[in-house]
Amino acid sequence: MSIFSGLFSKEKKESLDKGLEKTKENFFTKLGKAVVGKSKVDEEVLDELEEVLITSDVGVNTTIKIIQRIEDRVARDKYLGVEELDKILREEIAGLLAENNTQDLNDFSLPEGKKPYVIMVVGVNGVGKTTTIGKLSAQFKKKGLNVVLGAADTFRAAAVDQIKLWGERVGVPVVARGMNTDPSAVAFDAVKQGVEENADVVIIDTAGRLHTKVNLMNELSKIKRVMQKFIPDAPHEVLLVLDGSTGQNAVIQAREFTKATDVTSLAITKLDGTAKGGVVIGISDEFKIPVKYIGVGEKVDDLQVFNKMEFVDSFFKKSI
């Protein structure tokens, strides 16, 4: 099919295919049980399919849209055999995601005309936030970009230490003041250093606490204000990191953070260790915020730019 354009390298595609193995096995096992003994896609099959999609963490709202699209197709084509269901699902999910009006990245590039490009990273503890920052730094460094990191998650000593270790591993400077210091002061210093060193990108880690939305909003707003003393339109991007293995809990976190701050992009991690990868489809559809990165393994290169069509292709590629 032309919509599955094969934009990824062979190595990245193999990594994506492997990273979604648990999700695919779970999904197709459920789908097989739903259509066993059936010859055509009828109301009973659609009811079963709805349950399969919801229990695969695609989400209720997105599932309803997918079922409606298939119902319309059944009405139009009059008869659809269950042996065609995989192909139909693949096409309709791809079509739904293509309507999101979010552009896919082809690589770890940055917008032109913003230097340094400032990314503020948010998300609760344990979702892989700092690891994502480290891997993202490595990918930018690989492209020849100069990176500065800001350790503004100052409420956990482990978070500051972890980002320092990533800085050493990747070979990028880390601005840190230690634990229990003002996170906005760290952000200020990081952006200042980024400007002075003519960095291409500054990435600011922030506290991973889902405390009350008011406190979270105030804290993130303060960080933004101090950065804007050096760069008036900073941050250029607010990246929310979500743990894909938590399924619908990741959706709840996305709702909370989008209420508390202006999230402009998403990274969904730990997809290789879960059967809940369908949550990527639901999140991409529901929030209309670009899913920019997905984590499909432990290696640095297993943080990939998200391409909707490649994801759907891997999701529906059955193991031989």
Side-chain angles (χ1 to χ4, degrees), residues 7 9 38 60 65 75 88 127 142 149 158 164 169 176 193 233 237 259 305:
L7 293 172
S9 68
K38 309 289 172 51
V60 174
K65 291 181 186 178
I88 295 164
V127 297
K142 191 184 294 185
L149 301 180
K164 284 181 176 179
R169 177 180 174 184
Q193 183 167 322
D233 56 348
E237 182 176 334
K259 290 174 186 175
V305 294

Side-chain angles (χ1 to χ4, degrees), residues 180 187 271:
N180 293 326
L271 293 175

Side-chain angles (χ1 to χ4, degrees), residues 93-118:
I93 289 174
L96 181 67
L97 296 186
E99 294 169 5
N100 283 356
N101 297 321
T102 59
Q103 293 185 336
D104 291 320
L105 298 176
N106 292 327
D107 60 14
F108 288 87
S109 56
L110 296 171
E112 295 182 2
K114 305 283 187 183
K115 187 174 180 179
Y117 185 75
V118 181

Side-chain angles (χ1 to χ4, degrees), residues 174-201:
V174 177
V175 176
R177 287 190 172 194
M179 187 180 173
N180 293 326
T181 54
D182 184 357
S184 61
V186 177
F188 179 91
D189 289 346
V191 172
K192 181 173 181 287
Q193 183 167 322
V195 171
E196 291 171 348
E197 296 185 2
N198 198 30
D200 296 291
V201 57

Side-chain angles (χ1 to χ4, degrees), residues 261-315:
T261 191
D262 184 21
V263 175
T264 60
S265 63
L266 302 170
I268 303 177
T269 67
K270 307 183 185 181
L271 293 175
D272 57 309
T274 181
K276 298 181 177 182
V279 73
V280 176
I281 296 169
I283 286 174
S284 179
D285 171 60
E286 179 172 343
F287 291 96
K288 304 298 186 289
I289 297 170
V291 176
K292 289 186 73 171
Y293 311 109
I294 54 173
V296 292
E298 295 296 323
K299 300 190 298 293
V300 166
D301 286 342
D302 289 332
L303 179 69
Q304 297 188 355
V305 294
F306 177 67
N307 180 283
K308 294 185 285 289
M309 298 305 108
E310 295 289 359
F311 182 88
V312 173
D313 184 61
S314 288
F315 190 91

